[in-house]
Structure formats: C-alpha cells, structure tokens
Amino acid sequence: NLSHRLEIVNPQDEIGRLAATFNDTLERLENAFNRIRQFSADVSHELRTPLTILRGETEVGLRWAKEPEEFRELFRSNLEEINRMSKIIECLLELSRAEEGGLKLELSDVDLSELVAEVVQQSRLIDPEKGLKIAYTVDQPVAVTGDWLRLRQVFMNLLGNAVKYTPAGGEISVVVDATGGFARISVIDSGVGIPADDLPNIFERFYRVDKARNRADGGIGLGLSLTRTFIEAHGGKIEVVSEPDKGSVFTVYLPQTSRT
Ligand code: ADP
C-alpha cells in the first residue's frame, strides 16, 4: 500500500537515504506477502477442482449407478482425481522442504549421459501415436555427483513437456556435452513455444501458459518449479529460450565431477 511510503524530502541527506531504504524494504515485503497470498489462493483452487469432481461423481454414482461396471468406472475416475491431489501435495511438500533448506539429496556418482539415455528411451513411450522423432546425441559423456532419482525426475519433466507441447510429427532433440566444468544437457523441441511475456514466469508454482488445455493434459503446473529447485539444489542452473510456433530449448547446467 503506497500510503505507507515515507515521503523523501531530500534524497541526498541521511534521513532521505534511510527513508529510501525503508520504502524499498516495504515494497519487497509487500511483494513477498502478495506472492504468499497468491500462492495460497492457487493451492486452494488447485485442490478444490479435483474435490468438486470427486463429490459430483460420487453423488451421481450413489443416486444412479446400479451395475457393478458403472461403479467400477466411477472408482477409476475417482482414483484419477485422488492421484492428482496426491501429486500436487507431494510436489508442494518437496518444494517447501527445499525452501526451508531441508531437501536431502541422496548423492552418488551419476553417469548423466546414461541417465538421460534412459529417460529419452522412456519418453519415446509416452505418446507413440504422435509419431515424434526423438534424437539423442552425446557429444561428450558427462558424470556428476547427484541425486539419481531427482535428476531423473528433472529430465523426465523436461522430456515430458517437450513431448506434451510438440504437435504430432514434430522433432525433439537431446544433446549432452560439457562446458566450463559444467555438464550441459539441452532439450530442444519443435513445439508450440512460449510467448516472451510468459517466459519469465514458467518456473513459478502453478504457472501455465494455457490453463484450460493444461488440465486435460494432466499437468499440474509444478513440474518446472520442481525441476529448477532440484537443479539449484545440485548447484546448477536452468535456462530457456523459446519462440512461439517454433519451439523451445531448455538447457540444464550441472557441476561436473572433477576427474582427480
Ligand atoms: P505443466 O506442464 O504441468 O503445466 P510445468 O511447470 O512443467 O507445468 O510447465 C509450466 C508451463 O510452461 C506449462 O503449462 C506450459 O505452458 C509451459 N511449458 C513448459 N515446457 C514447455 C515446452 N517444452 N514447450 C512449450 N511450453 C512449455
């Protein structure tokens, strides 16, 4: 609220500088509070939707279903919503653990070129009817000290998105090499791309470019937040370059195990 700002009479003197610092701190606090407020609203909304579906289906089932097959169908659908809620809660727990510095990485020597090869292989099974061409190139084999399961999840998320957001017949290419002591893994797709306005936000929790389409795809909008969190926990970083209707390139950097 701007009315709480201190008026700065002389920006050069000590009081003026103090007031400027105060205003600055106030603004950052306000932004932080707004983010928390927005986040709680998003969580409530994301959990309310599956609950509403669960309630509606259960009520309809209790009133109208008679045959065992009808009940089975209902349970199947209910399970989908329950799984969705569990996934949201599991992801949120991981994110808040990471925020509190409580994310425990299970470190071991990880042959990244091998791990990514495995994920690429699995990504070919996600949506075979789409006929995507998924290429994998290792320009340089790389090894890191990392948490195998979480790194696997990182690349599953990136490949899963590449498959999800690339239309039938498109191409995806994954390249592994190294630069300046970092293993570099690029996931390049020829998909829908991301508008420049959305690009800075896609790593935010629950942020999606196309909300309506996303739910049908089974996305929960937490994949990239987790991806970035896991990468940063390894001392790495992730970058993205994208152009609508052309495609996206997600590049992951992870500190390489030194060969001593
Ligand atoms: P989800 O895919 O579950 O919606 P993510 O956190 O993985 O959530 O991604 C956030 C948003 O970023 C997606 O909703 C989508 O709009 C956009 N996005 C992510 N990866 C890609 C990609 N490879 N191509 C185009 N858009 C993408």
Side-chain angles (χ1 to χ4, degrees):
N1 185 330
L2 284 169
S3 63
H4 292 119
R5 295 281 184 281
L6 292 179
E7 194 186 337
I8 300 174
V9 184
N10 180 355
Q12 306 305 333
D13 69 12
E14 196 165 356
I15 299 207
R17 285 200 301 274
L18 268 176
T21 309
F22 176 85
N23 288 348
D24 188 50
T25 310
L26 201 61
E27 185 172 333
R28 275 188 282 165
L29 270 177
E30 272 171 15
N31 289 341
F33 280 131
N34 284 337
R35 274 201 303 276
I36 294 169
R37 208 176 290 138
Q38 181 63 44
F39 176 65
S40 333
D42 289 343
V43 175
S44 317
H45 177 79
E46 295 298 329
L47 291 176
R48 195 176 59 182
T49 309
L51 265 181
T52 305
I53 296 174
L54 269 179
R55 182 188 302 116
E57 287 186 337
T58 308
E59 279 172 2
V60 168
L62 279 176
R63 192 165 301 173
W64 304 106
K66 296 207 167 54
E67 305 302 321
E69 190 45 46
E70 291 175 283
F71 283 104
R72 210 167 281 137
E73 184 49 45
L74 199 70
F75 281 137
R76 257 197 295 273
S77 165
N78 282 359
L79 189 59
E80 244 171 62
E81 298 305 324
I82 291 168
N83 285 340
R84 187 181 168 84
M85 284 197 286
S86 311
K87 198 160 126 193
I88 294 174
I89 290 165
E90 282 311 314
C91 289
L92 289 175
L93 277 175
E94 280 275 89
L95 286 168
S96 65
R97 259 183 232 126
E99 239 165 33
E100 292 160 9
L103 191 71
K104 297 260 179 308
L105 296 181
E106 302 271 342
L107 294 179
S108 67
D109 289 335
V110 177
D111 180 338
L112 259 192
S113 7
E114 199 180 290
L115 181 147
V116 176
E118 198 184 305
V119 174
V120 167
Q121 195 50 40
Q122 277 166 354
S123 70
R124 295 192 173 114
L125 307 174
I126 299 176
D127 199 350
E129 291 96 79
K130 257 187 169 177
L132 300 175
K133 191 166 161 277
I134 307 181
Y136 181 49
T137 315
V138 180
D139 284 338
Q140 189 175 332
V142 283
V144 299
T145 304
D147 185 320
W148 194 86
L149 268 181
R150 289 187 170 109
L151 289 177
R152 193 167 162 279
Q153 198 177 341
V154 162
F155 296 106
M156 289 289 279
N157 287 344
L158 294 178
L159 259 306
N161 281 346
V163 169
K164 187 156 68 173
Y165 297 108
T166 302
E171 289 182 11
I172 295 167
S173 161
V174 183
V175 182
V176 173
D177 64 1
T179 172
F182 283 82
R184 176 170 61 187
I185 303 91
S186 308
V187 179
I188 306 154
D189 70 51
S190 60
V192 297
I194 302 160
D197 282 351
D198 296 297
L199 216 43
N201 301 318
I202 57 168
F203 295 98
E204 299 293 322
R205 287 178 281 201
F206 295 121
Y207 193 87
R208 293 145 188 182
V209 176
D210 181 348
K211 294 196 186 270
R213 176 196 153 129
N214 184 273
R215 192 182 155 81
D217 285 342
I220 55 172
L222 291 172
L224 283 181
S225 316
L226 264 186
T227 296
R228 184 173 66 179
T229 299
F230 287 164
I231 293 169
E232 287 177 353
H234 282 83
K237 63 172 177 170
I238 180 166
E239 287 173 354
V240 55
V241 180
S242 187
E243 201 180 322
D245 298 325
K246 285 254 166 67
S248 313
V249 180
F250 285 85
T251 309
V252 176
Y253 297 86
L254 291 165
Q256 249 188 310
T257 311
S258 59
R259 293 168 203 272
T260 46

